Amino acid sequence: DHHYALLNTTEYAVQLVRDIVLTSVEANRTDQALRHYAALLEPELKQLVQESYGAQRTVRIGTAGRKVALLLQFVRALPDVNERAAVYRQLEELLQIDGQDERYPGILFADDAAKYGAGTEPVYKPNPERYPKRALERWQRQLDGGFFAELSQFAGDHPDYYERIERELLHPVAERWSVETWPRLVAYPNALPRLEQRVRAFRLLLDTAQKQQQQQLNDQQLMLLAGEMLKVERELTVHGGEQQQQQQLTELREMFPQRSYDRSYRTYAELFALYKP
């Protein structure tokens, strides 16, 4: 009886520590979670991840995404690369259960797994046909339709991750622009929360569209673009900006006369102010 009582007490203590680890992860207390995790004699990491992921599946999609992001933050901090890779293998399957592979956790996961899961034998790489491809394709459809809220949130919450995927995200959309999608597309940069993100997005759009020989931007489309860029220009004037951003904006303006119509950015900005299509 004493043996079973001791065993039950030990199991209870282990479960208690596991619960503290999970609670700490969800409370964004990664250091605390790691300390308690290190105290577990048999960490049972797979079970921990399963419990953490299982708990977040009962909440709304947006909240679930944040919980997955916090779990990934904990995994990044694990000192052992084999442990990290094991979790990434597990998460590669779990994220597909509730469609998180097509949302921003899929982007975070793909980036983290490549960076923090490397160095194992055999080498672990997530399926490139799913990560980050599925999430990028979903966001590209949103861009085509003029829906920017999710992307804007991601760019604000995870600016470093956003910067690493922005070219892969925007380039295909800008390449296939049409008369119908262009007005929505040029509105996207100003939906981004950071000034430097907006400047980079305008550069990407103009760069990509400029290289499309089959379809030239006409006066109407350049006027729309100039109108959106005016908003960034005003913000830089009012709030100031880094010299690099000022320089990038100057370079963007100078790209306008390189178009077929040989009109300057300022001309298009003035036309936009007059006509506001």
Side-chain angles (χ1 to χ4, degrees):
D1 288 347
H2 176 71
H3 172 73
Y4 286 115
L6 187 63
L7 194 62
N8 287 338
T9 303
T10 304
E11 285 177 358
Y12 174 76
V14 168
Q15 184 59 52
L16 186 63
V17 175
R18 281 222 308 259
D19 289 345
I20 292 171
V21 172
L22 292 173
T23 303
S24 300
V25 168
E26 291 181 9
N28 197 16
R29 295 174 180 164
T30 303
D31 290 345
Q32 181 176 298
L34 286 168
R35 282 198 305 274
H36 287 288
Y37 173 72
L40 289 168
L41 294 176
E42 294 180 12
E44 299 177 7
L45 186 56
K46 187 173 183 178
Q47 182 63 27
L48 269 172
V49 172
Q50 191 73 45
E51 286 181 28
S52 175
Y53 202 89
Q56 63 86 10
R57 286 178 61 200
T58 61
V59 298
R60 290 186 310 150
I61 285 177
T63 306
R66 285 191 289 277
K67 284 178 177 284
V68 176
L70 289 169
L71 177 59
L72 284 166
Q73 181 175 282
F74 170 72
V75 177
R76 284 198 297 275
L78 290 171
D80 187 278
V81 66
N82 290 304
E83 278 193 320
R84 293 197 300 268
V87 176
Y88 292 137
R89 284 189 176 91
Q90 187 180 358
L91 281 173
E92 182 169 0
E93 301 301 320
L94 287 174
L95 287 170
Q96 297 173 42
I97 294 171
D98 54 353
Q100 293 292 344
D101 59 326
E102 296 186 0
R103 297 176 181 274
Y104 80 87
I107 300 287
L108 301 182
F109 166 78
D111 194 275
D112 281 5
K115 192 180 299 181
Y116 300 101
T120 56
E121 289 294 338
V123 174
Y124 167 66
K125 286 183 180 177
N127 177 7
E129 287 303 306
R130 185 173 291 274
Y131 298 101
K133 188 177 179 182
R134 293 287 181 90
L136 288 173
E137 286 177 345
R138 181 172 167 274
W139 279 346
Q140 284 160 355
R141 290 193 296 273
Q142 289 183 355
L143 282 172
D144 283 335
F147 301 106
F148 310 140
E150 199 175 317
L151 263 169
S152 178
Q153 181 79 41
F154 177 70
D157 291 345
H158 304 280
D160 293 341
Y161 286 88
Y162 175 77
E163 185 173 357
R164 289 195 285 274
I165 58 106
E166 64 185 347
R167 177 166 288 278
E168 195 177 353
L169 170 74
L170 278 176
H171 189 75
V173 181
E175 261 193 336
R176 63 175 183 250
W177 73 270
S178 67
V179 173
E180 183 188 349
T181 62
W182 184 255
R184 296 193 290 269
L185 194 54
V186 294
Y188 170 66
N190 281 319
L192 293 167
R194 295 172 181 242
L195 191 59
E196 65 271 19
Q197 291 170 340
R198 286 174 233 161
V199 173
R200 287 200 310 265
F202 279 123
R203 180 65 187 248
L204 265 167
L205 288 181
L206 199 49
D207 256 353
T208 307
Q210 192 176 37
K211 288 168 184 166
Q212 289 299 95
Q213 297 304 316
Q214 302 89 345
Q215 190 166 222
Q216 291 285 310
L217 290 167
N218 64 25
D219 275 345
Q220 172 87 354
Q221 286 138 11
L222 287 166
M223 194 162 61
L224 284 172
L225 184 61
E228 291 294 335
M229 281 173 55
L230 266 174
K231 296 174 186 176
V232 176
E233 197 173 59
R234 289 190 196 111
E235 188 169 340
L236 277 169
T237 304
V238 174
H239 301 294
E242 293 180 10
Q243 190 174 350
Q244 184 184 6
Q245 290 161 8
Q246 298 278 8
Q247 179 61 31
Q248 286 174 335
L249 200 58
T250 300
E251 289 170 6
L252 278 175
R253 293 190 204 103
E254 289 170 354
M255 288 173 74
F256 274 74
Q258 296 171 30
R259 310 301 306 162
S260 306
Y261 303 100
D262 198 30
R263 295 189 181 95
S264 70
Y265 161 76
R266 189 58 57 199
T267 302
Y268 283 112
E270 288 168 0
L271 284 168
F272 179 84
L274 281 172
Y275 297 109
K276 289 193 178 173

